Amino acid sequence: MRYIIIGAGAVGGTIGGRLAEGGHEVVLVARGAHYDALRERGLRLTTPEGTRTHQLPVVRSPDDLGPFLRPDDVLLLSVKTQDSTAALDTWSARPVAGGGTAGELLPLVCAQNGVESERQALRRFRHVCGMCVWLPATHTEPGCVAAAGAPVSGMLHVGRYPSGVDDTARGIAADLAKSRFLAPVVPDVMRWKYAKLLSNLANSIEAVSGLIVSDEARALFRRALAEGQATLAAAGIEATSQAEQAEARGGRITFEPFDGSERGGGSSWQSLSRGTGTIEADYLNGEIVLLGRLHGIPTPVNEALQRVANTFARERREAGSMGVAELTALVDAG
């Protein structure tokens, strides 16, 4: 299988680089300065084993791959959810050699936070896999990605969407397992993704106010989490428990800081740091707001966090520049 990584940022760059190290054929898809850096200098991937530069094919669109995709292509979508629709529209109609389109024939894997992209993908692709991504990685400089997990880079639960497993999911998982990942194949991948969604409710707090280390920041996250748990319960949506997640990881991954580096923030913090002008809050805190409105559950904390995070992105304000006391006051003020 050839892996086309649509969105070669922190997650996509790590998965693409590791798959290449495992001997698999990989194409990276990027844009802007990141595309230029990857094309000119290659992917600079830093892990606890050191830094390597991978000279991989990089494209901006399927047009750069020629008139046809290959029947053995796997599309791995790792853009932020707010960019999913454009990417799915671009790739789904692409012809595949021998007849048919990517949407009709090729598997697409949603390696993203949130739970919305799978629904968007299934409108356009017949064969969709969800992937629950537990892969702390950083991408703030064009051409460079860092992942601190050891002895593997992360845990990637894989399964068919909306449920089930098949030979394609098993094959993808086997390739990942040979490429320094834990990759369990599960028939209920969305249970894992909803659990990750709950943990990602902290992303807006971290993006706006920095790492969640103070009691006040933890208290604000607990309030957002309580709303999330209440809305999932009202919607009848099951998420894996903390105990089940801990058992799956079982101390099998540790995070080794890189010499001379400071710990950065997660994906939303990185979006603000890069000044992208967008952030995924609408599909993290905003997912809880949506469920709350559908099922009559108040979600004032997540509404406020969604609003503030979007303002930070739109105004290109500095990541972590609002104190948690000020953020909490804004939440309390509604």
Side-chain angles (χ1 to χ4, degrees), residues 188 191-196 238-242 244-245:
D188 54 355
R191 287 180 65 243
W192 293 89
K193 296 203 70 165
Y194 273 104
K196 180 75 185 305
E238 184 181 359
T240 53
S241 66
Q242 288 289 334
E244 190 173 356
Q245 295 174 66

Side-chain angles (χ1 to χ4, degrees), residues 76-271:
L76 192 142
L77 185 68
S78 54
V79 300
K80 296 294 190 295
T81 304
Q82 62 267 26
D83 298 320
S84 288
T85 298
L88 291 165
D89 286 345
T90 296
W91 288 87
S92 62
R94 198 68 184 178
V96 176
T101 65
E104 294 168 330
L105 300 173
L106 299 184
L108 180 124
V109 183
C110 294
Q112 301 161 284
N113 287 333
V115 295
E116 179 62 22
S117 284
E118 285 82 1
R119 293 183 73 250
Q120 294 183 22
L122 201 60
R123 295 177 188 273
R124 299 162 176 85
F125 284 82
R126 289 179 183 169
H127 310 289
V128 177
C129 286
M131 177 180 285
C132 181
V133 177
W134 196 67
L135 197 177
T138 304
H139 163 56
T140 56
E141 179 182 348
C144 300
V145 172
V152 294
S153 287
M155 176 171 279
L156 308 172
H157 285 79
V158 181
R160 284 292 302 265
Y161 178 79
S163 63
V165 298
D166 61 10
D167 288 342
T168 299
R170 294 186 187 95
I172 292 167
D175 287 348
L176 291 167
K178 297 173 185 175
S179 306
R180 303 296 287 271
F181 293 104
L182 301 176
V185 181
V186 293
D188 54 355
V189 70
M190 297 310 292
R191 287 180 65 243
W192 293 89
K193 296 203 70 165
Y194 273 104
K196 180 75 185 305
L197 170 68
L198 292 176
S199 69
N200 285 145
L201 299 180
N203 283 28
S204 291
I205 302 171
E206 181 182 73
V208 169
S209 297
L211 296 177
I212 299 179
V213 295
S214 69
D215 290 342
E216 192 171 13
R218 293 190 187 99
L220 186 56
F221 170 58
R222 285 195 296 270
R223 292 168 61 187
L225 178 61
E227 290 182 358
Q229 292 168 331
T231 59
L232 293 191
I237 296 171
E238 184 181 359
T240 53
S241 66
Q242 288 289 334
E244 190 173 356
Q245 295 174 66
E247 181 180 0
R249 293 169 190 148
R252 298 159 73 189
I253 308 173
T254 60
F255 299 101
E256 300 182 4
F258 304 119
D259 292 342
S261 66
E262 295 183 1
R263 181 188 166 200
S267 57
S268 297
W269 181 90
Q270 293 172 46
S271 292

